[in-house]
Amino acid sequence: MSSGIQALDITPCTLGERCETLRKEVRSFLREELGERTALQRAESWMGVDEDFSRKLGERGWIGMVWPRSVGGGEFSALERYVVLEEMLAAGAPVQAHWVADRQSGPLLLRFAPDTLARRVLSEIARGDTYFCIGMSEPDSGSDLASIRTKAVRGDGGWIIRGSKIWTTGAQRARYMIAFVRTDVSATAVSATAVSTAAVPDGRDRHAGFSQFLIDMSSPGITVQPIRNMLGEHEFNEVFLEDVWVPEENLIGQQGDGWKQVTAELAIERSGPERYMSSTELMLEMLQAADVEDDRHAVALGRLVADYGALRQMSIGIAGMLARGDNPAVAASVVKDQGARLEKLIPELAQDLFGDKLALNSSLREVLSYTLRSSPSFTLRGGTPEILRGIIARGMGLR
């Protein structure tokens, strides 16, 4: 197998008996907790904020599941965690409050700052009452992280950070941000459109000189400005950082290793069940409304279910690779790219199959309307298709 194709390889993985036993427990819990939620509320799962629900997950040990008990975790396996996430999303649980901290920020701290920040912060996350946001994208940079301009320079006993972040989910309620910034202030921001490789024209590495910091969102100098989506909801924000001081111990990992760390972080973010299940409630509504005598329904929905099955196997395979300590960044990008494609296809398909037959107050109509208006954000979360396909091309040695 060539190295390019090998980068796409996903080792198959099977969920064992313990996972299936846990699945039954999770389903029982969700039936009790979410029994009264409407189809529309279930469709809002990603956007759903219920802090009491998050705390109940923490009490059951279902936040920070794979972390060591010494930092508040439950020492479950990665595959057991996968099962819990999958059931939460299938049931339309309100996951947004604790989502970023559990699936992305906590694992990053545990991997790159285990003796300092992790011990201080992870137990708070695992209780389900401490939330995070991620400061990566910036105005004029989008998802091209190598072109960001926010900088950190050494100050009195720490660092001074200045710049801004955009499309920052949940910043309005987050206690902490993990910010990706430049610490090599001599480096020049270069956009992806200016170069086709990791090296800029003078030979420098455009991925060098970045670091990550833990920022307390109550620090002086931080302003959070809401960005409302097409639904009028407040999910995204622009965050302004004006000479924000952070202590030295809040540097995550080694100075200058930010790019390596953030690509590992995104591999976690890009491969989970959340990357193909955003339109699940709409798919369930379509299956309930389908006419078994209509060949169009049978063919289109059958193909949809098959696509779901294929992405699920790929996603579980990557969960198994992450559990073994592999870094399947390229394969995870494929899951994210194809998962977002499927998530956006589902509302288009629903409109095509059922759009002219929907009763005014039907749950399918409500869920379709919501999902259609939400779907533009599906490709923003975790990287646009252009960024993902650039990662895949580089991983395959094509650019």
Side-chain angles (χ1 to χ4, degrees):
M1 184 184 297
S2 70
S3 59
I5 296 298
Q6 200 167 19
L8 300 178
D9 188 39
I10 299 175
T11 306
C13 181
T14 303
L15 301 174
E17 186 176 339
R18 283 184 56 174
C19 289
E20 298 309 327
T21 300
L22 177 60
R23 187 188 300 281
K24 292 176 183 174
E25 181 185 350
V26 176
R27 285 182 178 178
S28 175
F29 168 79
L30 293 174
R31 275 196 300 272
E32 184 174 334
E33 292 295 328
L34 307 179
E36 302 300 320
R37 289 178 71 84
T38 66
L40 179 58
Q41 287 174 317
R42 291 174 188 272
E44 296 169 346
S45 176
W46 262 84
M47 289 295 301
V49 175
D50 184 333
E51 297 186 0
D52 286 339
F53 180 79
S54 294
R55 278 190 285 272
K56 288 180 180 178
L57 294 184
E59 290 168 2
R60 286 180 169 265
W62 291 346
I63 297 177
M65 288 183 67
V66 300
W67 305 343
R69 293 188 192 281
S70 60
V71 295
E75 296 188 356
F76 288 88
S77 72
L79 297 179
E80 287 172 308
R81 179 178 180 274
Y82 187 97
V83 165
V84 172
L85 290 184
E86 187 175 44
E87 291 300 322
M88 294 287 166
L89 295 171
V95 296
Q96 207 216 25
H98 63 273
W99 198 231
V100 170
D102 179 35
R103 61 196 266 275
Q104 193 169 341
S105 304
L108 179 84
L109 293 172
L110 188 61
R111 182 169 180 180
F112 295 108
D115 298 327
T116 53
L117 300 179
R119 290 194 179 280
R120 176 156 59 87
V121 175
L122 291 189
S123 62
E124 300 175 22
I125 296 175
R127 288 198 302 268
D129 57 10
T130 297
Y131 312 132
F132 272 61
C133 62
I134 300 296
M136 287 191 189
S137 299
E138 295 187 4
D140 304 322
S141 295
S143 296
D144 178 21
L145 296 181
S147 66
I148 65 162
R149 290 174 167 79
T150 297
K151 294 180 180 179
V153 296
R154 285 196 180 278
D156 185 14
W159 295 79
I160 307 295
I161 298 178
R162 169 173 284 191
S164 64
K165 297 293 179 179
I166 199 167
W167 308 120
T168 309
T169 305
Q172 72 273 27
R173 73 180 65 87
R175 179 172 178 187
Y176 297 109
M177 168 190 280
I178 290 184
F180 181 72
V181 306
R182 289 184 177 277
T183 44
D184 179 359
V185 295
S186 65
T188 303
V190 180
S191 73
T193 56
V195 293
S196 59
T197 69
V200 295
D202 65 2
R204 287 179 290 116
D205 183 353
R206 67 189 294 266
H207 297 159
F210 297 101
S211 301
Q212 288 179 292
F213 288 89
L214 179 75
I215 299 178
D216 187 329
M217 290 294 285
S218 65
S219 302
I222 295 178
T223 303
V224 178
Q225 183 170 301
I227 301 172
R228 298 199 177 274
N229 62 19
M230 293 173 66
L231 302 168
E233 296 168 333
H234 180 190
E235 177 184 11
F236 299 119
N237 301 275
E238 184 166 8
V239 180
F240 298 92
L241 306 161
E242 299 179 24
D243 294 338
V244 177
W245 181 84
V246 296
E248 182 69 36
E249 67 170 0
N250 282 28
L251 171 65
I252 300 171
Q254 300 298 314
Q255 181 183 344
D257 280 355
W259 189 268
K260 179 181 70 176
Q261 294 172 190
V262 83
T263 53
E265 180 183 356
L266 288 171
I268 298 169
E269 188 201 7
R270 286 173 174 158
S271 59
E274 64 271 26
R275 290 311 176 196
Y276 64 92
M277 295 183 70
S278 298
S279 300
T280 297
E281 186 62 31
L282 179 55
M283 187 181 78
L284 295 174
E285 288 287 328
M286 283 198 290
L287 291 173
Q288 286 187 337
D291 180 355
V292 295
E293 303 297 331
D294 188 326
D295 289 344
R296 283 183 72 226
H297 287 191
V299 171
L301 295 176
R303 186 170 293 155
L304 191 60
V305 171
D307 286 348
Y308 248 73
L311 276 166
R312 180 172 186 264
Q313 289 305 313
M314 294 166 69
S315 181
I316 291 174
I318 289 178
M321 296 170 76
L322 289 170
R324 293 193 299 273
D326 299 341
N327 182 8
V330 178
S333 296
V334 174
V335 173
K336 166 67 172 70
D337 182 58
Q338 291 302 298
R341 182 197 63 79
L342 179 66
E343 289 176 330
K344 295 191 75 168
L345 171 67
I346 291 174
E348 295 170 5
L349 186 62
Q351 199 166 34
D352 182 46
L353 294 179
F354 302 99
D356 58 349
K357 304 172 185 172
L358 292 175
L360 187 59
N361 296 319
S362 71
S363 57
L364 175 53
R365 185 189 185 96
E366 289 181 336
V367 173
L368 172 58
S369 175
Y370 174 82
T371 310
L372 266 176
R373 287 178 289 158
S374 299
S375 60
S377 68
F378 296 165
T379 52
L380 292 176
R381 304 184 296 213
T384 63
E386 291 78 11
I387 292 296
L388 295 170
R389 292 167 192 178
I391 292 170
I392 295 165
R394 275 196 298 276
M396 297 183 68
L398 300 177
R399 57 177 294 196

